[in-house]
Every structure is written in structure tokens, then in C-alpha cells.
Amino acid sequence: MSGLAIRNVKKSYGAVNIIHGVDVDIADGEFVILVGPSGCGKSTLLRMIAGLEEITGGEISIGGRVVNNLQPKDRDIAMVFQNYALYPQMTVAQNMGFALELAGVKRPEIDRKVAEAAEILSLQPLLSRKPAQLSGGQRQRVAMGRAIVRDPKVFLFDEPLSNLDAKLRVKMRAEIKALHQRLKTTIVYVTHDQIEAMTMADKIVVLQGGKVEQIGTPLELYDRPQNVFVAGFMGSPAMNFLEGRLTGGSQPRLTLASGTSIELLAGVVDAEGKDVIVGIRPEDIAFATEGGLSATVSVVEPTGSETHVALEVEGKELTWVMRERASLTPGQKVQLSLKTKNIHVFDKATQQRITA
């Protein structure tokens, strides 16, 4: 049993509170990603799990054992850092086996475990090289191999792909996910990149200001964000927002400041006359066959498979992702419709979701 439980964990530096009572349950073998903007506390939380930062309050347990007062080496975890943290004077094989050597493991067992990890990560041809002779992606695989040989209860990844170029990040995402599927070990992974979170995680923990905003599967967070922050953070391009007032009773409509009215689906509870923020994903915009929302094209960005269009709607900038080919030019006036079944409604005052 290698689950991880975080109970009301807090961290402060003097009078400055960094983590405000975080609760997260991570099941045995689960791949959980902590995601959020810079400074939200995700790396601090990971370092507390690892034992590299002291806990101000609360409790962390690994495999049912409370580890608050245990040294990192006694927690049965392995950490993969952003900067690889390889010893430059050692070969790949020596780097991967060094922790086992320090632990007093016999040389034949070290060699066996290094060989197994090298096979998993396709590092066999590189075992005699030193880190300076490796690419960024190869160094990251060595760092992962060093973690694998320890056979820990929990793997901790601290933004491991942030130093790689875009193409290599995509490749390494797939490799880490495949590694998890093969080893089935619990992973806690920190990133500020929500695309990494969406594509890799079994479960995502969204953090802001040292607090948990929402926990769920990638599609739960994408399809039913519980507040404006999560709605705007998850998804690329980001969700669009319009402000207005709900009218229409049982058949609600959003009335914008200009008086323009947009139909919404029923399911907004006790919200008549309420000031709201309505969220629309960029892919949920289309040309209107009649009527619709008036917009002006600002910028057109073809990407090949789709086109990203920046629009101005009543003084607000919206992004439209078009899957079909269309000839649009800056300054052009267009009429838009919204896929009402996918519209998200949030209370303007509380920022919380009010869509049923």
C-alpha cells in the first residue's frame, strides 16, 4: 500500500502563510498533478512531502505511516528535480546507482537494478557517458532512472520538463506516462503547465494562493470548473468570460451591459436578476445563421489544423478556435452564436459556479 494522505497541511515563514490547510488523498498507484500559477505553493507542498521543508501544521502519511518527523531518506520516496541534479564527474550508470551504493546495497544488485532501469528508459547505449555528453532529454531520463532503481513507494516530480524545448516536452510527457503505466507506482508531479496536467494526470489538484481550488480528473475540471479561477486556468486557449445579469426566469438569458441578450440553458439555480460571469470555451463559438452576438475580428492566427481568432465583443476580447477553414480579416464584422449547452455560469460576487 503506497497511498499518500495530506491532512490540513500548513506552511508559514514567520508571519507569512504560504500553505493554508491543504487536504488531498492520493490512492496507491495514482498519478496526481499539482498545478497552478507561479507562487501558488505547489513546489513547497511537494518539498514538504519529500521532507525538504518542515511542516508548520497538519499531517502527511505515506503508505499509512505518518512521516512528518522523518528524514527524506527514511520516507521511501524518490524525487526528480527540474535541473536533473546529476553528478558531472560520474557516468550515467554511476549516477543511477549512487544512492544504492550509499545505502550499502551489494554491487551485483546495483548493477542489476541499473540495467533494468536502463532498459525501461532506453539508456543502455549511454551508461558509460557523463552528463555533459547527453542531451536535455537524456539527462532527464537518467534522473528518472536514478529514481526508479530505488523502487520507492512514491515518485515526486518537480517541474521536470520545464528546461526542455517544446517538441522534447511532448515526447517526455508520453515517456513519463508510459513509465507510470508500466511501474504503477504512486506519482505526485508539480507543473505550472496545465497542458501537462491535462494530458498526464489521473487526478489534478488546482492550487492558488496556497489553497486548493478544485480536485478532479482532467475532464471534470475542464467540463465543470467550480469557480472562475479554475475555469480560466484549465484549457488552452483559455476560457472566455462575459459579464452581465441573468434574466428570463425558467428560461434564463444573459443580458450584457449594452442590452444584448444571450440565451442560456435552464439549470441556473435561484439566479434571476443576479450579476454573473459567463464562461465560453473558444471551441464553443460558431458563426450565427441569424441574429447572434456582434463581434469585430482583431487578429487571425492560422495554426494548420485550426485557426485562432481574437475578437472584440462589447469592449471585451474573446478567443475563437475555428476547426473549419474560413477567410477572416482584421476589422471584419461577424455575427456569432454560442453553444449554450457548454456555457458555464458563475456568481460575480463569489466567483463560484451556479450552473447546475
Side-chain angles (χ1 to χ4, degrees), residues 287 300 307 309 320 322-329:
F287 282 114
V300 180
T307 301
V309 183
W320 178 14
M322 301 177 62
R323 301 283 158 73
E324 69 276 12
R325 299 292 174 92
S327 180
L328 294 174
T329 57

Side-chain angles (χ1 to χ4, degrees), residues 3-7 23-35 177 180 186-191 194 196-206 212 214-221 234:
L4 177 66
I6 300 169
R7 293 279 180 270
D23 289 284
V24 182
D25 284 310
I26 300 172
D28 184 18
E30 197 168 31
F31 194 142
V32 172
I33 292 187
L34 309 179
V35 70
K177 192 164 185 176
H180 176 250
T186 306
I187 291 179
V188 184
Y189 184 111
V190 160
T191 182
Q194 47 86 26
E196 274 183 41
M198 289 290 295
T199 55
M200 297 171 68
D202 297 324
K203 183 165 70 182
I204 298 173
V205 180
V206 183
V212 174
Q214 189 173 349
I215 300 174
T217 67
L219 289 181
E220 284 172 350
L221 268 59
M234 301 304 297

Side-chain angles (χ1 to χ4, degrees), residues 306-317:
E306 57 191 27
T307 301
H308 295 190
V309 183
L311 304 161
E312 184 180 322
V313 178
E314 301 197 7
K316 296 270 188 181
E317 185 174 293

Side-chain angles (χ1 to χ4, degrees), residues 2-246:
S2 305
L4 177 66
I6 300 169
R7 293 279 180 270
N8 196 31
V9 166
K10 301 175 183 177
K11 177 65 180 178
S12 60
Y13 296 100
V16 180
N17 297 320
I18 305 298
I19 304 291
H20 306 268
V22 167
D23 289 284
V24 182
D25 284 310
I26 300 172
D28 184 18
E30 197 168 31
F31 194 142
V32 172
I33 292 187
L34 309 179
V35 70
S38 297
C40 71
K42 56 190 183 296
S43 289
T44 300
L45 183 58
L46 192 80
R47 290 174 64 83
M48 287 195 289
I49 296 170
L52 301 175
E53 291 274 3
E54 289 187 5
I55 298 170
T56 305
E59 182 179 282
I60 294 176
S61 60
I62 299 174
R65 178 180 62 157
V66 176
V67 298
N68 288 28
N69 299 317
L70 295 182
Q71 293 296 311
K73 64 183 179 64
D74 299 321
R75 296 191 178 202
D76 204 2
I77 55 95
M79 193 159 180
V80 178
F81 295 93
Q82 178 180 346
N83 61 356
Y84 320 131
L86 302 177
Y87 296 104
Q89 75 277 17
M90 293 184 182
T91 65
V92 167
Q94 289 169 335
N95 264 286
M96 290 170 64
F98 187 57
L100 298 180
E101 192 175 328
L102 288 179
V105 177
K106 304 269 188 215
R107 174 51 55 185
E109 181 67 5
I110 294 175
D111 292 343
R112 182 185 68 79
K113 289 194 170 188
V114 168
E116 287 179 353
E119 182 182 0
I120 290 170
L121 297 167
S122 301
L123 289 172
Q124 299 100 319
L126 308 178
L127 288 174
S128 61
R129 295 190 191 180
K130 293 186 176 178
Q133 299 170 295
L134 304 177
S135 69
Q138 290 168 337
R139 292 179 195 179
Q140 193 55 273
R141 286 208 299 273
V142 174
M144 289 162 56
R146 183 178 54 193
I148 289 171
V149 298
R150 296 178 59 189
D151 192 23
K153 287 184 177 178
V154 179
F155 285 112
L156 306 177
F157 287 81
D158 189 9
E159 304 211 40
L161 308 185
S162 59
N163 289 336
L164 306 180
D165 62 56
K167 185 176 181 180
L168 191 51
R169 278 202 304 273
V170 173
K171 184 173 185 294
M172 288 301 297
R173 283 204 313 252
E175 289 192 11
I176 292 173
K177 192 164 185 176
L179 176 66
H180 176 250
Q181 290 168 350
R182 178 167 180 173
L183 298 179
K184 295 180 171 52
T185 305
T186 306
I187 291 179
V188 184
Y189 184 111
V190 160
T191 182
H192 64 276
D193 185 340
Q194 47 86 26
I195 295 297
E196 274 183 41
M198 289 290 295
T199 55
M200 297 171 68
D202 297 324
K203 183 165 70 182
I204 298 173
V205 180
V206 183
L207 293 163
Q208 183 193 28
K211 297 179 181 178
V212 174
E213 294 287 345
Q214 189 173 349
I215 300 174
T217 67
L219 289 181
E220 284 172 350
L221 268 59
Y222 190 83
D223 292 337
R224 291 190 58 79
Q226 291 304 303
N227 56 48
V228 171
F229 174 78
V230 175
F233 190 81
M234 301 304 297
S236 180
M239 184 181 283
N240 300 299
F241 295 106
L242 291 171
E243 295 182 10
R245 178 164 292 181
L246 285 183

Side-chain angles (χ1 to χ4, degrees), residues 260-317:
T260 301
S261 181
I262 302 170
E263 181 185 358
L264 304 178
L265 282 188
V268 182
V269 180
D270 297 328
E272 175 69 18
K274 186 183 288 290
D275 290 329
V276 296
I277 298 171
V278 167
I280 308 106
R281 293 284 181 199
E283 64 270 23
D284 291 330
I285 298 174
F287 282 114
T289 53
E290 57 179 318
L293 192 63
S294 297
T296 303
V297 176
S298 302
V299 179
V300 180
E301 298 179 312
T303 67
S305 61
E306 57 191 27
T307 301
H308 295 190
V309 183
L311 304 161
E312 184 180 322
V313 178
E314 301 197 7
K316 296 270 188 181
E317 185 174 293

